[in-house]
Amino acid sequence: MKKLNKVTSLKGIVSVPGDKSISHRALMLGAIANGTTRITNLLNSADVNTTRAILTNLGVTITDRGNITEVVGAGVSNLHDPGVVLDMGNSGTSTRLLTGLIAGAGLDAQIIGDDSLSRRPMDRVIDPLNNVGANITSNNGKLPMIIHGSQLNNKIDFELSVGSAQVKSAVLLAGITSGCQTTVVDKFRTRNHTEIMLQQFGAEVKVDGAKISVPADQHLSAADVLVPGDISSAAFWIVAGLLVKGSNLTIKNVGINPTRSGIINILRQMGAEMDIKQTSIDGETIADITPHFSKLQALNIDGEIIPTCIDEIPIIVLAATQATGRTIIRGAAELKLKESDRILTVTSELKKLGAQIKATDDGFIIDGPAQLTANKTHVSGHNDHRVAMMLAIASLITDGEVILDDDDSVGISYPTFFTELGKLAV
């Protein structure tokens, strides 16, 4: 439980934890590559530690040396059946991507997760893998599931029916570990970290518009990977800097991959003032971001930009509560399938603070600007890290005391969030 209060400003420099999506992928590709992969700034969080533990169960040696994590890989052939039930905890990324990796490698595994993860759909990964020769059984498309070792087809052709980079990556990993020629069509243009990193590990990857092609029999070689700061974590500080008058806040080395930076485009369209100093490394674009207090304007948010900001929508909704006019967010039904039903949880919790917000089937209607108020008001992140952090940022502009009942959920992606908040708050 955290007691949170309004602040006069936020001042300082913050380096957010390593990107969660890239951290997962660096561990997995290091595990199936030949040689020792060195990962700098790997995210130390519950979800990424789940991936690390699972790979260890498959026979991979992973050690830390200061800020560098070494993954000793010896190719797919050196992976082995885990021999224990694989507990994915709360991590959807671990579950979906590792299902592709394990199925492609022809291993046997039983996979379980916590109550929240066990309610999330896994058939979106199971079905395309079974269609190309995998043998995966499940609880009506949900956990628990069993992967029965089998040989995949010689050729994988798959078109995404939902805007999920996890599904795309699961199929690509299955293709790599099975040695199959693989083609994935991604009309949604979801985050492309897997494609970028496969090339960094020496794979031949051809991207032609929405089509991603990987020839058969790719052999990966170890790489040095620098994980940029996670834009999903940085998003909370960016919006805080925009909403808290008098702030002087810079977020360092943030990954702003174009398939992930929808929040930057949206906030700028809403009138946000930000200084962005951009560089790049290993195919990923990074930047230092300095937000300035801004008078925001309402915006209609829908279409192709939604997949590029799906994890940031809770904090975008908070920004919209302070924007002048009516903001409408559409096409975000995927939020119902996250750690919580984020459409319902974001709406119900912000209403407690006086936000003018209505949930729809696939998004939100928000009228602003709203004066947020609390009187020792209890709010809950519903064990969803992004909802909990959004509510913490909301408290910074709320008159009165806000009590966050489940602050420990932030450990999923940002264990030091509240420590940083304490340093920055004035």
Side-chain angles (χ1 to χ4, degrees):
M1 180 183 293
K2 284 281 184 187
K3 296 181 179 180
L4 303 165
N5 290 279
K6 192 173 185 176
V7 298
T8 56
S9 66
L10 295 167
K11 296 187 184 297
I13 296 172
V14 60
S15 295
V16 295
D19 187 287
K20 186 156 74 81
S21 296
I22 294 174
S23 293
H24 282 296
R25 288 158 172 80
L27 287 171
M28 293 181 200
L29 295 188
I32 60 176
N34 286 293
T36 299
T37 291
R38 294 173 177 83
I39 307 168
T40 303
N41 199 36
L42 183 79
L43 174 61
N44 179 18
S45 75
D47 276 11
V48 174
N49 289 338
T50 292
T51 287
R52 179 177 180 148
I54 300 305
L55 292 172
T56 300
N57 286 328
L58 300 181
V60 181
T61 300
I62 304 174
T63 56
D64 292 317
R65 301 185 187 279
N67 193 37
I68 296 176
T69 301
E70 293 186 348
V71 183
V72 181
V76 176
S77 62
N78 280 276
L79 301 178
H80 60 65
D81 294 339
V84 296
V85 175
L86 301 179
D87 187 348
M88 298 290 176
N90 188 244
S91 181
T93 305
S94 302
T95 307
R96 295 191 178 107
L97 270 63
L98 286 168
T99 295
L101 186 153
I102 291 168
L107 305 179
D108 292 308
Q110 182 177 350
I111 293 175
I112 62 172
D114 68 9
D115 288 343
S116 172
L117 186 64
S118 298
R119 292 192 295 270
R120 298 174 69 179
M122 297 300 154
D123 49 356
R124 55 178 55 184
V125 170
I126 295 169
D127 291 346
L129 293 175
N130 281 347
N131 286 339
V132 295
N135 182 7
I136 304 171
T137 55
S138 67
N139 178 29
N140 294 317
K142 298 178 180 178
L143 298 182
M145 70 178 167
I146 299 174
I147 303 172
H148 308 274
S150 60
Q151 178 65 46
L152 300 194
N153 301 347
N154 292 329
K155 187 176 181 182
I156 297 173
D157 288 299
F158 175 67
E159 181 171 350
L160 281 176
S161 59
V162 293
S164 170
Q166 293 179 3
V167 176
K168 173 179 68 175
S169 298
V171 174
L172 288 172
L173 285 169
I176 288 288
T177 53
S178 66
C180 300
Q181 177 182 329
T182 304
T183 301
V184 177
V185 177
D186 177 12
K187 63 184 178 183
F188 303 96
R189 307 296 174 94
T190 60
R191 60 188 64 177
N192 62 353
H193 301 305
T194 301
E195 298 95 295
I196 290 172
M197 194 174 289
L198 278 170
Q199 293 177 76
Q200 191 179 349
F201 278 79
E204 181 182 343
V205 181
K206 181 180 180 182
V207 179
D208 182 8
K211 183 185 291 187
I212 303 132
S213 303
V214 182
D217 298 323
Q218 297 292 302
H219 298 284
L220 306 186
S221 299
D224 291 338
V225 180
L226 174 61
V227 181
D230 196 327
I231 192 169
S232 296
S233 297
F236 298 101
W237 304 125
I238 294 170
V239 171
L242 298 174
L243 299 185
V244 178
K245 188 177 290 189
S247 293
N248 184 4
L249 185 62
T250 296
I251 308 101
K252 300 286 288 184
N253 298 320
V254 180
I256 57 168
N257 180 305
T259 65
R260 292 280 302 283
S261 59
I263 186 172
I264 301 293
N265 299 329
I266 286 168
L267 291 173
R268 280 183 159 166
Q269 289 178 58
M270 294 176 76
E273 296 181 16
M274 291 179 277
D275 297 329
I276 299 180
K277 297 181 180 178
Q278 181 175 312
T279 56
S280 64
I281 186 166
D282 295 331
E284 295 284 355
T285 305
I286 61 176
D288 295 344
I289 303 173
T290 302
H292 304 286
F293 176 75
S294 303
K295 297 289 187 180
L296 302 179
Q297 301 296 317
L299 185 70
N300 287 340
I301 304 168
D302 57 20
E304 293 181 357
I305 202 164
I306 293 293
T308 70
C309 66
I310 193 70
D311 286 334
E312 294 74 58
I313 286 180
I315 196 66
I316 291 171
V317 170
L318 175 62
T321 70
Q322 303 307 299
T324 300
R326 171 168 284 186
T327 294
I328 300 176
I329 300 175
R330 300 187 186 92
E334 186 74 12
L335 291 172
K336 297 178 179 180
L337 305 174
K338 297 293 185 176
E339 284 85 341
S340 69
D341 179 338
R342 288 181 180 163
I343 293 178
L344 294 182
T345 56
V346 168
T347 300
S348 64
E349 299 308 313
L350 284 177
K351 274 186 171 181
K352 293 179 182 178
L353 303 179
Q356 302 300 306
I357 179 173
K358 177 183 177 182
T360 65
D361 286 343
D362 63 348
F364 308 85
I365 300 172
I366 309 118
D367 290 306
Q371 179 61 53
L372 303 185
T373 59
N375 182 15
K376 296 185 178 179
T377 304
H378 285 259
V379 295
S380 172
H382 297 264
N383 296 312
D384 186 328
H385 54 130
R386 303 207 195 280
V387 178
M389 286 186 279
M390 179 275 292
L391 292 169
I393 299 302
S395 76
L396 305 181
I397 57 169
T398 299
D399 293 327
E401 186 174 75
V402 177
I403 301 172
L404 177 61
D405 289 337
D406 57 344
D407 56 289
D408 57 339
S409 63
V410 304
I412 292 293
S413 62
Y414 200 160
T416 61
F417 174 79
F418 286 106
T419 301
E420 296 290 353
L421 179 57
K423 293 177 182 177
L424 298 170
V426 178

